[in-house]
Amino acid sequence: GGGHASPMIPRRPVHELSNILGPAIDIDRLAPMLAAHRGNIPLAVKQYRQSEVMRADHNPVAASALGSVDPNHIPEGGVPVLVNIYDLSFKGEEEKKPKAAKDASDKRNSGGRRNSLNSGLPSVGMGVYHSGIEVYGREFSFGWCDGDQTGVFEVHPRCAGGVMPKITFKKSVCVGKAPVSRAELDRLLSHMADEYRGRSYSVIDRNCNHFSNDLSKRLCKKKIPAYVNRPAKVGAAAIRASRAVGKLFQMGRRSPATSPLSALTTQGTTPGQEAAGPSRQRFASHE
C-alpha cells in the first residue's frame, strides 16, 4: 500500500495480437483486413501476406512525421469528432449456408444488406446499432468484459467488426470539432476508462451508444444522432412504466383497507367518480 495505482487506459484488443503474431506484422495495416474478414485471423493474415508485395502506398517518412507531432498541439478550429455507426447483422451465418440457400436469400434481399437486423427499421426511426467515437484517427467504444477491467477499448477507425464479428460498418457522422490536444484526449480517456468498467455494461442503461454520447459531449459539447440509441431509450421507458405499474399494485396488495385501489370498493363510490382523481394522482407520482 501507499503507492499510486497506474492510470487505467482503453484496451486495444487488435493490437494485443502483436504478442501472438510477432513484430513483423503491422497491426494498423492488419486491422482493416481483420474487419473485412469479420475477426477471422488466419484469413486476415493471409491477405496481409499477399499484400506485402503491393505496398506502394506505404510511406515511412509520413508515418515518422506523424509520430513526431507535438502531443500538446491543438489544431486550429479544433479536431473533428466523428461517430462511426455500425449495423448489427448476421452476415457470418449467411456465409455458412449452402450456395442454393444463399442464392435464394440474395433474391429476397438487395443492396448488400442481407440479414441485417436493421432491414426496414431505419425508415421508421428505429434501428439497432453499435457506435464508436473517432478522434485523431483513433476509435473508442465501450463493451462488457469480466473482472475489474475497463470496458473502454480502442480499434482502428471503422474497423470494430474485427473484434465484434456481428457488426458491419454503416457510416460516419461528424458531430462537431473539439478544442483538445492528443495529450488531453489521453487524459480524458484514462478517466473514462476508470469510470466505465466492463462489468457496469447494460444494454438498456449503459451501452456503447451511451458511452459514445458521453464522450462526444465531453469533447465538443454535442450529442450523437438520437436514432443511434433510440431502442435503448424505448426499452428504458418501458421498464420504468412497468415498474410504476408494479409499485401501484404492490401498494394495493399490501393493505387493502388503505390501498389506492380500495377507494373503488368503498360504499357509495363507483369507478369514474371522486375515487378516480386520487387513483390517477398516485399513478402519476410513480411514473
Side-chain angles (χ1 to χ4, degrees):
H4 293 287
S6 58
M8 189 166 283
I9 60 175
R11 293 180 292 111
R12 306 181 77 189
V14 174
H15 286 77
E16 289 168 6
L17 285 174
S18 60
N19 297 329
I20 302 172
L21 302 176
I25 299 289
D26 183 341
I27 296 298
D28 289 330
R29 287 184 55 229
L30 179 68
M33 303 175 193
L34 191 62
H37 291 291
R38 309 183 74 80
N40 189 312
I41 296 175
L43 286 179
V45 171
K46 180 180 179 181
Q47 181 183 348
Y48 180 93
R49 298 296 188 193
Q50 292 172 343
S51 71
E52 282 289 277
V53 295
M54 303 176 62
R55 300 185 60 183
D57 61 334
H58 180 60
N59 189 337
V61 175
S64 175
L66 182 62
S68 64
V69 171
D70 179 3
N72 295 306
H73 172 71
I74 301 177
E76 184 176 355
V79 60
V81 176
L82 307 175
V83 55
N84 292 332
I85 304 168
Y86 299 78
D87 268 327
L88 268 65
S89 64
F90 301 99
K91 188 176 179 181
E93 279 75 4
E94 178 73 11
E95 292 169 350
K96 297 177 184 178
K97 291 182 180 180
K99 186 177 185 303
K102 289 179 66 176
D103 291 343
S105 178
D106 288 346
K107 290 180 181 179
R108 292 193 301 270
N109 302 278
S110 59
R113 297 185 61 189
R114 60 180 180 272
N115 284 344
S116 170
L117 189 59
N118 290 324
S119 297
L121 293 176
S123 62
V124 294
M126 184 71 73
V128 182
Y129 305 101
H130 168 78
S131 69
I133 294 294
E134 179 182 345
V135 191
Y136 283 117
R138 304 162 66 191
E139 181 177 323
F140 304 94
S141 191
F142 171 64
W144 182 90
C145 64
D146 277 323
D148 201 36
Q149 297 182 76
T150 179
V152 179
F153 61 93
E154 177 182 347
V155 295
H156 192 280
R158 300 172 293 284
C159 293
V163 295
M164 303 171 66
K166 298 301 182 186
I167 65 174
T168 303
F169 176 71
K170 179 180 177 70
K171 66 178 179 178
S172 293
V173 176
C174 185
V175 184
K177 292 191 175 182
V180 298
S181 66
R182 286 177 169 82
E184 289 171 326
L185 175 64
D186 284 338
R187 286 193 290 270
L188 172 60
L189 286 165
S190 177
H191 173 75
M192 295 186 73
D194 185 49
E195 181 180 344
Y196 280 83
R197 302 296 177 104
R199 64 184 180 217
S200 71
Y201 181 91
S202 165
V203 172
I204 297 296
D205 300 315
R206 193 177 177 83
N207 63 35
C208 59
N209 301 317
H210 289 104
F211 171 83
S212 293
N213 195 53
D214 190 8
L215 179 54
S216 178
K217 289 192 296 183
R218 297 192 197 196
L219 286 170
C220 62
K221 296 180 171 58
K222 292 186 179 180
K223 298 179 179 180
I224 65 174
Y227 72 85
V228 175
N229 206 28
R230 186 164 290 137
K233 293 176 182 177
V234 171
I239 289 174
R240 286 195 297 269
S242 175
R243 288 173 179 169
V245 173
K247 286 181 181 179
L248 177 66
F249 283 96
Q250 284 174 6
M251 291 171 63
R253 287 193 296 268
R254 199 160 43 233
S255 178
T258 59
S259 74
L261 302 179
S262 65
L264 299 180
T265 58
T266 302
Q267 184 176 3
T269 304
T270 59
Q273 294 180 345
E274 63 270 19
S279 179
R280 289 198 188 102
Q281 289 174 3
R282 285 182 180 272
F283 182 82
S285 68
H286 291 284
E287 290 182 338

